[in-house]
């Protein structure tokens, strides 16, 4: 696969110089695209600081209104400085492009979080909502309406702190009582007064935040339907349902925000005082594992200064374990326990790949370029190393974040987090127990020693597969996805993780990582190039013969697993 189209290399140079300041930047990896812009990581060659570089081609800014809109976005964003707003660093232009350098949020947007997790826990929602409201409070005090608040415009830094971004639709209220008339926004988050063209102000952001809160807690937007027309009808009628499972404080806060009459919606200041924020745990921080898996609620540390009632213990202190010898299973059989949920996930992935391959998929050798890749859909967790010792003990593996796991022949599992201290034990029934490398039940001593052995062997003898990722030290809150089952064939090792990810490592050292939630495949070629493509992109543009063959093989193996009811 080629790294980038020739036209892009000419239009977006690798070394970019700011003519005003003399600062020189190097264009690094492709980061994504949207609207008129393409995004790259850009490094200041003098300071080595890395920024998110938003590159807008002047060829696309044909109309006067488009140029004015870009100028307004820059003007508004550069005037902002707040911990929950994406930082604005610099902007400049040359003969071909406008360059906007912004704070780099490596954990992507909350849209990717939503796609991987669907509904979040209440403590997580409280954590994110508080930060969103603080950011919007700052904007409103500056008399700025964002007008496009949605999960895709809420970015996350390495500590999972929210940063509000994309001010392309933002507007400033110039005088008291001014009502804007422009129809703008995103369908699932747009306020009724925008659709009915009655004029709008700060209240449209409150409506959008209500939609965001509902989506985080319920797992889908409140007014979402299969057609745009029906969605708009429901918004105008303020027609949505609060699930009975939601606790009263959460339901109450959503209802306050999603009111058809904008004058009845509370201000951000009032929302910050809502009982939702004092009715349960407000985490002081969240582990990065929350991007893929719910945290351990019993271990969440409350933030200050608000006093909150403690949650009951979620996990039992029962440390019973089974360590009886079990005859190893033949290599072609899966090491797994029956699971309806995992079977459904695998069926969904199988159907996605089947649909992709049964279409008129074009096989072209150089059709998937970096520009068509979607780094936002890249898996957060994959198997970087593995060792098969199932003739005696089991299968060991290391995830990309340096955490290590062993799936023993008796189907029990041990997972050591990246900090090298915290350990999760999962028994045959799937019950989780938590301990450390220094304090654990005596009956687990043999397995703990084997975990240490597997870890040492992989560290000393094996190379990690795929791209490197930044690692933040894990803590006791983490509950990472782990290996659910695996098996070997004559051509590959196939590994299925508990978050639905299917990874296939082929003997020729190519690898594919399939994610049903992001509907994407990550392809690692023999040169260790690591690129992620949405299924929709492959369907539209085709793929090379090798990736096609790998996908076809994956489909065959998934059909075999499901037919034999091995998952």
């Amino acid at each position: 696969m080629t790294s980038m189209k020739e036209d892009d290399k000419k239009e977006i140079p690798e070394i970019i110089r700011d003519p005003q300041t003399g600062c020189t930047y190097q264009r690094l990896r492709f980061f994504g695209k949207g609207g008129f812009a393409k995004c790259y990581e850009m490094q200041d060659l003098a300071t080595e600081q890395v920024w998110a570089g938003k590159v807008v081609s002047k060829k696309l800014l044909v109309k006067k209104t488009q140029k004015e809109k870009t100028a307004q976005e820059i003007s508004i964003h550069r005037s902002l400085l707040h911990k929950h707003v994406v930082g604005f660093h610099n902007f400049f232009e040359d003969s071909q492009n406008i360059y906007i350098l912004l704070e780099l949020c490596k954990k992507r947007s909350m849209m990717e979080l939503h796609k991987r997790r669907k509904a979040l826990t209440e403590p997580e929602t409280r954590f994110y909502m508080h930060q969103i409201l603080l950011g919007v409070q700052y904007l409103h005090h500056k008399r700025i309406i964002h007008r496009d608040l949605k999960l895709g415009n809420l970015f996350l830094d390495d500590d999972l702190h929210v940063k509000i971004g994309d001010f392309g639709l933002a507007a400033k209220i110039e005088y008291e009582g001014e009502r804007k008339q422009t129809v703008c926004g995103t369908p699932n988050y747009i306020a009724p007064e925008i659709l009915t063209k009655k004029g709008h102000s700060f209240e449209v952001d409150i409506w959008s935040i209500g939609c965001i809160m509902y989506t985080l807690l319920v797992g889908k937007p409140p007014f979402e339907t299969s057609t745009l027309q029906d969605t708009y009808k429901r918004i105008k009628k303020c027609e949505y349902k609060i699930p009975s499972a939601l606790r009263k404080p959460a339901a109450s806060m959503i209802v306050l925000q999603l009111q058809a009459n904008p004058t009845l919606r509370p201000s951000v200041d009032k929302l910050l005082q809502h009982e939702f924020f004092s009715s349960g745990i407000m985490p002081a921080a969240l582990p990065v594992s929350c991007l893929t898996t719910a945290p351990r609620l019993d271990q969440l540390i409350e933030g200050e200064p608000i006093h909150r009632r403690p949650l009951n213990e979620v996990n039992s202190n029962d440390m019973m374990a089974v360590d009886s010898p079990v005859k190893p299973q033949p290599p072609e059989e899966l090491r797994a326990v029956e699971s309806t949920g995992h079977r459904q996930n695998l069926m969904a992935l199988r159907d996605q790949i089947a649909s992709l391959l049964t279409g008129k998929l074009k096989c072209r050798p150089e059709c998937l370029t970096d520009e068509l890749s979607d780094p936002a859909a890249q898996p957060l967790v994959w198997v970087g190393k593995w060792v098969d010792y199932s003739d005696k003990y089991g299968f060991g593996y290391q995830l990309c974040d340096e955490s290590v796991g062993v799936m023993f022949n008796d189907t029990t599992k041990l997972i050591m987090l990246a900090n090298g201290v915290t350990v999760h034990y999962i028994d045959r029934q799937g019950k989780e127990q938590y301990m450390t490398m220094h304090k654990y039940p005596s009956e687990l001593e043999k397995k703990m020693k084997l975990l240490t052995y597997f870890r040492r062997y992989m560290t000393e003898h094996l190379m990690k597969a795929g791209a490197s990722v930044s690692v933040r030290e894990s803590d006791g809150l983490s509950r990472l996805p782990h290996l659910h089952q695996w098996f070997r064939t004559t051509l590959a090792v196939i590994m299925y993780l508990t978050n639905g990810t299917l990874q296939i490592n082929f003997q020729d050292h190519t690898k594919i990582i399939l994610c049903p939630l992001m509907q994407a495949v990550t392809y690692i070629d023999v040169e260790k190039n690591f690129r992620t493509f949405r299924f929709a992109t492959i369907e539209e543009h085709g793929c090379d013969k090798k990736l096609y063959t790998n996908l076809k093989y994956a489909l065959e193996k998934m059909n075999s697993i499901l037919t034999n009811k091995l998952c």
Side-chain angles (χ1 to χ4, degrees):
M1 287 187 281
T2 58
S3 61
M4 187 175 294
K5 291 181 178 178
E6 289 300 319
D7 288 346
D8 285 340
K9 288 180 180 178
K10 293 175 184 176
E11 292 181 10
I12 308 175
E14 185 176 343
I15 303 297
I16 303 161
R17 185 175 179 274
D18 178 355
Q20 299 296 320
T21 65
C23 291
T24 306
Y25 302 90
Q26 182 175 9
R27 172 178 51 75
L28 303 177
R29 69 188 182 109
F30 178 69
F31 206 60
K33 63 180 179 179
F36 295 111
K38 293 175 185 174
C39 246
Y40 298 87
E41 288 184 1
M42 288 194 183
Q43 185 174 42
D44 186 319
L45 291 178
T47 66
E48 297 188 352
Q49 176 74 46
V50 180
W51 305 95
K54 196 172 179 179
V55 184
V56 183
S57 172
K58 289 183 175 179
K59 289 180 181 178
L60 300 176
L61 302 179
V62 180
K63 299 178 182 177
K64 184 182 177 182
T65 53
Q66 292 170 336
K67 294 177 183 176
E68 290 173 347
K69 181 183 170 186
T70 301
Q72 178 174 283
E73 176 184 354
I74 292 171
S75 174
I76 288 177
H77 201 164
R78 71 185 300 200
S79 72
L80 305 174
L81 182 62
H82 190 270
K83 64 180 179 180
H84 294 304
V85 174
V86 172
F88 188 98
H89 173 63
N90 190 19
F91 86 98
F92 58 92
E93 58 185 294
D94 58 23
S95 59
Q96 292 180 307
N97 304 303
I98 297 171
Y99 303 92
I100 305 171
L101 299 183
L102 305 169
E103 177 182 3
L104 181 64
C105 298
K106 292 184 180 179
K107 299 308 178 189
R108 299 290 177 169
S109 78
M110 293 189 72
M111 176 56 73
E112 285 76 51
L113 167 67
H114 164 65
K115 287 183 178 178
R116 289 187 172 98
R117 288 282 312 278
K118 298 304 179 187
L120 302 185
T121 64
E122 236 191 52
E124 290 173 284
T125 302
R126 212 172 272 119
F127 177 81
Y128 291 124
M129 281 295 297
H130 188 250
Q131 296 178 35
I132 293 166
L133 287 169
L134 288 176
V136 176
Q137 180 187 50
Y138 169 77
L139 296 179
H140 286 189
H141 285 181
K142 297 268 289 184
R143 306 192 68 77
I144 292 167
I145 324 171
H146 189 282
R147 301 202 297 183
D148 198 20
L149 290 172
K150 58 182 179 180
L151 293 178
N153 286 338
L154 301 174
F155 300 92
L156 298 172
D157 67 10
D158 285 348
D159 296 314
L160 302 193
H161 291 158
V162 176
K163 306 279 184 172
I164 300 170
D166 197 341
F167 290 85
L169 296 179
K172 190 154 190 173
I173 294 293
E174 301 295 344
Y175 56 88
E176 194 69 35
E178 181 187 4
R179 312 296 291 181
K180 300 293 183 180
Q181 301 296 328
T182 308
V183 177
C184 59
T186 300
N188 278 324
Y189 303 84
I190 197 167
E193 62 266 33
I194 294 180
L195 294 176
T196 54
K197 302 178 183 178
K198 291 180 178 179
H200 61 270
S201 188
F202 299 108
E203 300 86 6
V204 300
D205 284 348
I206 303 300
W207 174 278
S208 297
I209 297 169
C211 294
I212 288 166
M213 182 176 178
Y214 184 102
T215 305
L216 293 179
L217 286 170
V218 179
K220 62 179 181 179
F223 303 99
E224 186 176 62
T225 67
S226 57
T227 69
L228 191 62
Q229 186 179 10
D230 288 341
T231 296
Y232 284 165
K233 280 182 181 177
R234 289 184 62 181
I235 291 172
K236 288 175 183 177
K237 293 179 181 177
C238 199
E239 187 182 296
Y240 68 99
K241 294 180 180 178
I242 295 281
S244 58
L246 285 192
R247 293 173 66 235
K248 286 184 179 179
S252 165
M253 186 166 162
I254 290 170
V255 169
L256 279 174
Q257 296 170 93
L258 298 182
Q259 298 193 71
N261 184 346
T263 63
L264 297 178
R265 295 173 210 151
S267 66
V268 178
D269 294 353
K270 287 184 178 178
L271 286 172
L272 282 166
Q273 300 302 316
H274 194 275
E275 65 169 329
F276 172 68
F277 292 110
S278 58
S279 63
I281 286 178
M282 168 74 83
L286 291 175
V288 174
S289 62
C290 284
L291 293 173
T292 56
T293 315
R296 294 177 55 199
L297 298 183
D298 62 317
Q299 293 292 308
L300 283 176
I301 302 168
E302 295 194 53
E304 295 294 341
I306 306 170
H307 176 71
R308 295 174 174 84
R309 64 176 180 80
L311 287 182
N312 291 327
E313 284 284 314
V314 174
N315 298 289
S316 165
N317 290 322
D318 179 14
M319 293 293 191
M320 293 293 290
V322 179
D323 195 20
S324 57
V326 176
K327 185 179 179 181
Q329 302 167 0
E332 288 289 337
E333 288 188 47
L334 295 175
R335 280 72 171 169
V337 181
E338 285 288 323
S339 169
T340 304
H342 290 302
R343 182 174 177 81
Q344 289 173 343
N345 288 338
L346 197 62
M347 286 176 68
L349 181 59
R350 187 272 310 271
D351 292 345
Q352 290 169 4
I353 300 299
S355 174
L356 185 65
L357 296 179
T358 53
K360 297 178 180 178
L361 191 62
K362 301 169 186 173
C363 282
R364 295 185 293 191
E366 296 183 348
C367 56
L368 292 180
T369 61
D370 274 3
E371 187 189 342
L372 291 177
S373 70
D374 191 345
Q378 178 178 312
L380 296 173
V381 178
W382 68 89
V383 178
K385 299 177 182 180
W386 61 270
V387 58
D388 180 4
Y389 207 177
S390 57
D391 60 332
K392 283 192 175 182
Y393 305 117
F395 186 87
Y397 60 94
Q398 184 185 79
L399 297 180
C400 60
D401 76 328
E402 310 294 339
S403 60
V404 174
V406 179
M407 189 166 184
F408 295 100
N409 288 336
D410 65 359
T411 71
T412 62
K413 303 168 188 175
L414 274 177
I415 301 107
M416 178 199 294
L417 301 191
N419 60 12
V421 176
T422 311
V423 179
H424 296 185
Y425 177 69
I426 303 169
D427 66 18
R428 293 181 180 185
Q429 287 71 43
K431 182 179 177 182
E432 298 180 28
Q433 298 170 17
Y434 304 94
M435 57 203 74
T436 71
M437 289 298 294
H438 313 296
K439 190 175 181 180
Y440 53 85
S442 58
E443 55 265 36
L444 287 180
E445 185 171 358
K446 180 181 176 183
K447 289 183 176 179
M448 294 292 276
K449 285 182 179 179
L450 286 169
L451 174 67
T452 303
Y453 166 77
F454 273 105
R455 183 194 192 198
R456 185 170 64 245
Y457 180 86
M458 287 186 286
T459 300
E460 294 175 356
H461 299 284
L462 302 178
M463 290 182 63
K464 184 187 286 188
S468 61
V469 293
S470 60
V471 177
R472 196 183 78 172
E473 188 169 334
S474 301
D475 53 39
L477 307 180
S478 299
R479 185 187 272 128
L480 281 173
H482 55 269
L483 190 66
H484 173 62
Q485 56 186 18
W486 70 278
F487 65 103
R488 298 187 73 166
T489 69
T490 53
L491 296 179
V493 174
I494 299 171
M495 293 164 282
Y496 185 51
L497 300 182
T498 52
N499 65 347
T501 296
L502 182 73
Q503 178 172 334
I504 304 181
N505 291 15
F506 294 93
Q507 280 194 342
D508 64 0
H509 301 296
T510 61
K511 302 166 185 70
I512 59 173
I513 305 168
L514 298 162
C515 178
L517 297 175
M518 302 304 289
Q519 296 188 31
V521 56
T522 295
Y523 178 49
I524 306 174
D525 61 25
V526 289
E527 281 84 34
K528 295 187 179 179
N529 293 317
F530 192 102
R531 298 189 184 94
T532 301
F533 301 98
R534 300 269 186 183
F535 295 153
T537 301
I538 294 174
E539 189 172 17
E540 181 180 354
H541 298 276
C543 65
D544 64 18
K545 190 174 181 180
K546 178 61 181 173
L547 180 54
Y548 178 88
T549 303
N550 287 352
L551 289 171
K552 191 175 179 182
Y553 183 83
L555 180 61
E556 290 173 3
K557 292 305 163 189
M558 281 188 280
N559 277 327
S560 176
I561 293 169
L562 292 166
T563 301
N564 293 299
K565 297 184 178 179
L566 294 170
C567 180

